[in-house]
C-alpha cells in the first residue's frame, strides 16, 4: 500500500477542503434544464474532479483482496450515481452524500459478484476459515496442506472440509479472500519481465504465445510463467505474490481457459 | 446421448475398488463435470491442495484438448483410478484425426508441468463408425513433503 498514490488522494479529510470550489458547479448543474448540452460537460467535470474520492474508497476495500482496478470501476460508478443524484439545495455537502453512496456500491459489488451462486453464510465462513488455515499450515509445512490436515487444524470433520473446499468452486476470482493482495505490484514489473523472456527461450510456440501473454494482466501473466516455465508450485507462487493458494489456483484456471480460447481463435 | 447428459459409474472390479468412469457428450460444456469429479477424487484421496488443483487443471486441459478434436456427436470417456499413492486418469475420444495431439504445444507444456507422467496415443476405431480413438493418460502422484 505504498506505491503510486498521488498526494491529493491520501486522506478524505485533507481532500475535503480541496473540493469546496466545486460546489458552484453543482448549483449550476441543478439549475440547468434537463436537455441542456452543458449538463454532460459539467457532469464529466464533476466526476473527474472527484475521482480521487472513488479511488480512495476502492483502495480501502482492496485490503479485502479484490482487484483494485475492478473496485475502482465499481466505485467510479457509485461516484457517477452520486453526482447525478446529489441535490445541492438539501444543505449537505457533496462528500457527505457521495461517500456512503460509493461505499454502498462497493458493498453491493462484494455481495453480488463475489459468489457466483447463492451460497449459505455458513459455507462462506467455512471457506474463509479453510483459506486462512491453509495459508497458516503452508507456512508451517513448507507445502500446501491436505484436507485431513486442515480438518485436524480446524477441529472439523473431513466432510466439512470437503464441503468448504467445494464451495470455493462457487467463488469468483473477485473475492473476499482473507489473505490478501495488499498490492498487486508486490511482484514488480522489472522482476518478472526479464524472467519471462528467459523462461520462454527455446519454446517452439513462443511466437504465438507471447502476444497473448502480453495481453494478460500483469499478475496473471506472472503467475502463469512462474507455474509453467518457472516450475514453482501454487503455494510457492502464493507466498511470493502475497495471495492465497486457492486464489492462485482460480487465477491460473481462468488464465488457461482464456489462453485456450485465444489459441483456438488463432487457428 | 444429448448434450447435457452425463453418466458416472463406479466399477466394482475387486482389484480396482476406486475406479470411476465418467462418460459425457464430447462438448466443452461438460468440462465442469469432469473437473468436479477430478477434484473430488483427489480430495478424498487426501492429496494436498496443490496436487488437487493441479489434477483438476490437468483434467480440464486433457478433456478440452480431446473435445476440440472429437468427432461431432461423439462421447468422451474419462476413467479415474486411485492407486493409493497416485491417481491415473485415462481419457478417450473418437476423432477424425489420425495424429496425436501435439507435444510441442503450450497445452502439452501445461500437462507435463501439472502431472508426473502424461502420454498420448491413437488407435484405429472399429470399422463402424470408423475414425481414430485418441487417448491421453496421465498420472498424478500424491504431493511429497518437499512440495
Amino acid at each position: 500500500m505504498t506505491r503510486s498514490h498521488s498526494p491529493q488522494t491520501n486522506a478524505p479529510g485533507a481532500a475535503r477542503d480541496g473540493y469546496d470550489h466545486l460546489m458552484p458547479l453543482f448549483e449550476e448543474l441543478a439549475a440547468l434544464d434537463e436537455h441542456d448540452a452543458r449538463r454532460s460537460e459539467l457532469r464529466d467535470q464533476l466526476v473527474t474532479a472527484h475521482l480521487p474520492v472513488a479511488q480512495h474508497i476502492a483502495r480501502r476495500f482492496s485490503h479485502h483482496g479484490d482487484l483494485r482496478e475492478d473496485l475502482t470501476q465499481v466505485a467510479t460508478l457509485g461516484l457517477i450515481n452520486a453526482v447525478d443524484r446529489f441535490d445541492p439545495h438539501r444543505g449537505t455537502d457533496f462528500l457527505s452524500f457521495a461517500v456512503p453512496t460509493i461505499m454502498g456500491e462497493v458493498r453491493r459489488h462484494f455481495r453480488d459478484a463475489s459468489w457466483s451462486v447463492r451460497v449459505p453464510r455458513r459455507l462462506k465462513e467455512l471457506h474463509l476459515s479453510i483459506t486462512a488455515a491453509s495459508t497458516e499450515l503452508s507456512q508451517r509445512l513448507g507445502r500446501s496442506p491436505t484436507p485431513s490436515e486442515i480438518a485436524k487444524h480446524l477441529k472439523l470433520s473431513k466432510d466439512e472440509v470437503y464441503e468448504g473446499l467445494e464451495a470455493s468452486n462457487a467463488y469468483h476470482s473477485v473475492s473476499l479472500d482473507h489473505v490478501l493482495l495488499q498490492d498487486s505490484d508486490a511482484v514488480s514489473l522489472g522482476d518478472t519481465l526479464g524472467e519471462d523472456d528467459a523462461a520462454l527461450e527455446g519454446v517452439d510456440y513462443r511466437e504465438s504465445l507471447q502476444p497473448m501473454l502480453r495481453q494478460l494482466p500483469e499478475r496473471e501473466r506472472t503467475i502463469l510463467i512462474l507455474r509453467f516455465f518457472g516450475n514453482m508450485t501454487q503455494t510457492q507462487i502464493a507466498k511470493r505474490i502475497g495471495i492465497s493458494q486457492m486464489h492462485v489456483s482460480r487465477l491460473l484456471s481462468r488464465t488457461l481457459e482464456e489462453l485456450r480460447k485465444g489459441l483456438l481463435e488463432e487457428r | 446421448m444429448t448434450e447435457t447428459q452425463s453418466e458416472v459409474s463406479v466399477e466394482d472390479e475387486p482389484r480396482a475398488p476406486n475406479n470411476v468412469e465418467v462418460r459425457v457428450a464430447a462438448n466443452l460444456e461438460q468440462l465442469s463435470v469432469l473437473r468436479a469429479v477430478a477434484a473430488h477424487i483427489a480430495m478424498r484421496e487426501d492429496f494436498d491442495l496443490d496436487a488437487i488443483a493441479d489434477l483438476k487443471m490437468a483434467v480440464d486441459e486433457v478433456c478440452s484438448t480431446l473435445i476440440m478434436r472429437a468427432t461431432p456427436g461423439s462421447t468422451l470417456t474419462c476413467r479415474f483410478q486411485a492407486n493409493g499413492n497416485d491417481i491415473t486418469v485415462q481419457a478417450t475420444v473418437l476423432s477424425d484425426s489420425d495424429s496425436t495431439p501435439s507435444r510441442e504445444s503450450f497445452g502439452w507444456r501445461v500437462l507435463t508441468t501439472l502431472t508426473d507422467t502424461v502420454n498420448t496415443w491413437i488407435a484405429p476405431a472399429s470399422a463402424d463408425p470408423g475414425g481414430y480413438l485418441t487417448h491421453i493418460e496421465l498420472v498424478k502422484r500424491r504431493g511429497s513433503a518437499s512440495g
Side-chain angles (χ1 to χ4, degrees), chain A residues 4 16 40 45 50-51 71 73 90 110 129 135 141 149 166 194-195 209 216 225 242 260:
Chain A
S4 72
R16 188 170 289 245
S40 71
Q45 206 177 332
H50 288 98
L51 273 181
L71 277 189
Q73 274 183 20
R90 287 240 181 101
F110 276 123
S129 44
T135 304
L141 301 167
E149 285 165 338
E166 273 165 355
E195 277 178 31
L209 192 61
L216 293 175
I225 301 244
R260 269 202 299 265

Side-chain angles (χ1 to χ4, degrees), chain A residues 134 143-148 159 162 166 169 204-205 227-229 233-235 245 249 253 259-260 264, chain B residues 40 43-44 46-50 53-54 56-57 60-61 64 68 104-106 109-110 113-114 144-145 147:
Chain A
S134 140
R143 59 166 171 83
S144 59
T146 65
S148 61
D159 279 333
Y162 295 159
E166 273 165 355
N169 292 337
D204 283 344
Y205 40 85
R227 182 70 188 95
F228 295 115
F229 298 98
T233 65
Q234 292 179 22
T235 299
Q245 175 270 336
S249 164
S253 307
L259 282 178
R260 269 202 299 265
L264 201 62
Chain B
H40 195 80
M43 209 168 64
R44 295 268 164 187
D46 211 32
F47 276 33
D48 68 41
L49 297 190
D50 267 358
D54 283 352
K56 188 168 146 186
M57 271 189 275
D60 206 33
E61 189 67 38
S64 48
M68 283 190 259
E104 310 295 321
S105 67
F106 176 64
R109 174 69 167 239
V110 166
T113 306
L114 294 175
S144 63

Side-chain angles (χ1 to χ4, degrees), chain B residues 5-18:
Chain B
Q5 219 173 341
S6 60
E7 204 181 286
V8 179
S9 62
V10 181
E11 293 178 7
D12 53 2
E13 294 169 35
R15 274 171 304 142
N18 292 319

Side-chain angles (χ1 to χ4, degrees), chain A residues 51-111:
Chain A
L51 273 181
V53 178
Q55 284 158 357
H56 180 84
I57 292 171
R59 212 161 44 235
R60 276 182 46 189
F61 279 86
S62 64
H63 280 294
H64 291 284
D66 209 322
L67 298 176
R68 192 186 301 162
E69 310 88 82
D70 290 357
L71 277 189
T72 305
Q73 274 183 20
V74 173
T76 305
L77 207 68
L79 172 64
I80 293 170
N81 283 339
V83 167
D84 287 346
R85 285 166 34 207
F86 178 60
D87 179 359
H89 304 297
R90 287 240 181 101
T92 54
D93 67 51
F94 176 67
L95 288 187
S96 313
F97 176 73
V99 170
T101 306
I102 297 171
M103 301 218 335
E105 197 75 44
V106 171
R107 288 210 181 88
R108 197 170 314 123
H109 166 76
F110 276 123
R111 208 170 55 227

Side-chain angles (χ1 to χ4, degrees), chain B residues 6-97:
Chain B
S6 60
E7 204 181 286
V8 179
S9 62
V10 181
E11 293 178 7
D12 53 2
E13 294 169 35
R15 274 171 304 142
N18 292 319
N19 273 14
V20 173
E21 187 174 292
V22 184
R23 292 158 55 80
V24 295
N27 185 304
L28 288 172
E29 281 165 26
Q30 299 292 353
L31 280 178
S32 60
V33 174
L34 298 158
R35 268 200 303 265
V37 172
H40 195 80
I41 291 173
M43 209 168 64
R44 295 268 164 187
E45 286 296 304
D46 211 32
F47 276 33
D48 68 41
L49 297 190
D50 267 358
I52 296 171
D54 283 352
L55 184 72
K56 188 168 146 186
M57 271 189 275
V59 165
D60 206 33
E61 189 67 38
V62 163
C63 294
S64 48
T65 302
L66 291 178
I67 288 169
M68 283 190 259
R69 55 192 288 129
T71 305
S74 61
T75 299
L76 170 71
T77 304
C78 202
R79 189 176 303 140
F80 300 86
Q81 196 179 327
N83 309 307
N85 270 329
D86 65 57
I87 295 174
T88 302
V89 181
Q90 200 190 105
T92 304
V93 83
L94 183 68
S95 172
D96 298 330
S97 167

